[in-house]
Amino acid sequence: MKNIIFIAPPAAGKGTQSELLCEKYGYAHISTGDLLRSVNPTSELGIEINNLMKTGSLVSDEIIFKLIEERLQKEDIKNGFILDGFPRTIKQAIAYEELVNKLNLKDYVVIYIKISENEAMNRALGRLGCTSCGKIYHKVNSKPKTEGICDVCGGSLTSRDDDNEELFKKRFVTYLEKTQPLIDYYKKANKLVEIPSNDDKYITNEMIEKVIIDD
Ligand code: AMP
């Protein structure tokens, strides 16, 4: 199975798709957003990260490179991994290519989830996550059985600080400026698979499964 890179606007469903594929195939889920959120918020690094995240901007490449290089040396990636939120710029894509060679990583496919700004915003504003196990819900489309409580582990559900309308719009602009150029970049490299998504019909596991099987 190929490793996977997900590219999509904020709140398009990368995290949810990653969870499903991890459960089914044993991929390791590597979300740079989660890695950043797990840095101690009172440390110097944590304060720097939070200040940037609060503005909807990207965190510096140096911080991301260090986190991702460390993460890709852990044992659990041996059965394959999903990169959710990295690379987010052309510079990061080039750095990833260097890491593939340096760490002798398997081939990968880039899955682009195409979704409109409105639909992504609707997802962001309704998104709830479990503070214990990370499972993702939606206030309207994917409710937990008991309000505010995770079905899986009983943990409490909260919204992310950056899932409000103002920050979503800033994150979307950052996405258009910095991340969208990757779509052409990976198209030219013959790595890109586009999965359309719209208000009525969302991506299914089957669509993704077709593209992760090795040739
Ligand atoms: P996410 O959880 O993927 O939506 O990421 C949340 C925030 O973390 C983003 O808005 C960025 O500020 C930061 N972030 C996550 N991944 C990266 C990355 N690869 N490069 C720079 N900043 C990132």
Side-chain angles (χ1 to χ4, degrees):
M1 255 171 4
K2 290 178 180 162
N3 292 325
I4 298 175
I5 291 177
F6 269 124
I7 295 186
K14 301 188 290 289
T16 307
Q17 289 309 313
S18 299
E19 271 177 17
L20 294 169
L21 291 172
C22 289
E23 252 169 53
K24 201 157 179 191
Y25 298 105
Y27 277 113
H29 179 200
I30 305 180
S31 151
T32 39
D34 286 348
L35 289 176
L36 291 165
R37 282 183 287 272
S38 68
V39 174
N40 175 358
T42 58
S43 66
E44 205 178 310
L45 180 62
I47 292 169
E48 186 185 339
I49 289 171
N50 279 330
N51 283 340
L52 279 161
M53 280 167 107
K54 266 195 275 183
T55 64
S57 315
L58 294 184
V59 170
S60 76
D61 286 334
E62 289 64 36
I63 294 176
I64 295 291
F65 293 161
K66 190 165 172 287
L67 285 174
I68 208 87
E69 183 162 2
E70 271 173 24
R71 183 66 186 84
L72 290 177
Q73 293 184 63
K74 297 210 166 138
E75 268 304 301
D76 68 335
I77 64 136
K78 296 283 181 295
N79 291 331
F81 56 85
I82 298 176
L83 290 175
D84 163 4
F86 176 89
R88 250 176 161 99
T89 62
I90 301 270
K91 192 171 167 196
Q92 290 184 9
I94 293 168
Y96 179 65
E97 207 51 54
E98 285 166 14
L99 272 185
V100 168
N101 294 326
K102 184 172 159 188
L103 304 177
N104 208 9
L105 302 172
K106 272 195 314 196
D107 192 15
Y108 62 96
V109 59
V110 180
I111 300 180
Y112 165 43
I113 306 177
K114 197 171 176 190
I115 179 171
S116 72
E117 179 172 357
N118 270 347
E119 177 60 8
M121 184 154 80
N122 171 30
R123 284 170 179 273
L125 301 189
R127 177 156 65 180
L128 293 170
C130 175
T131 46
S132 278
C133 73
K135 184 158 173 58
I136 302 159
Y137 298 84
H138 187 277
K139 286 175 191 163
V140 181
N141 306 335
S142 173
K143 291 186 197 174
K145 289 191 188 105
T146 312
E147 198 181 324
I149 307 287
C150 178
D151 295 347
V152 179
C153 75
S156 53
L157 305 182
T158 54
S159 300
R160 268 170 47 173
D161 288 347
D162 57 357
D163 276 343
N164 59 64
E165 187 167 345
E166 190 193 344
L167 258 190
F168 172 84
K169 286 187 173 155
K170 288 190 180 154
R171 285 155 65 210
F172 199 85
V173 169
T174 305
Y175 165 79
L176 291 178
E177 283 175 10
K178 306 271 167 71
T179 307
Q180 196 157 267
L182 283 176
I183 294 163
D184 254 3
Y185 175 88
Y186 282 125
K187 218 180 248 173
K188 286 189 186 126
N190 249 331
K191 293 264 180 220
L192 194 89
V193 179
E194 182 173 315
I195 297 194
S197 155
N198 58 43
D199 299 2
D200 309 306
K201 189 164 170 281
Y202 197 51
I203 50 174
T204 62
N205 256 10
E206 289 66 35
M207 289 174 178
I208 290 185
E209 282 167 17
K210 266 200 259 169
V211 299
I212 59 175
I213 307 300
D214 283 315
D215 300 327

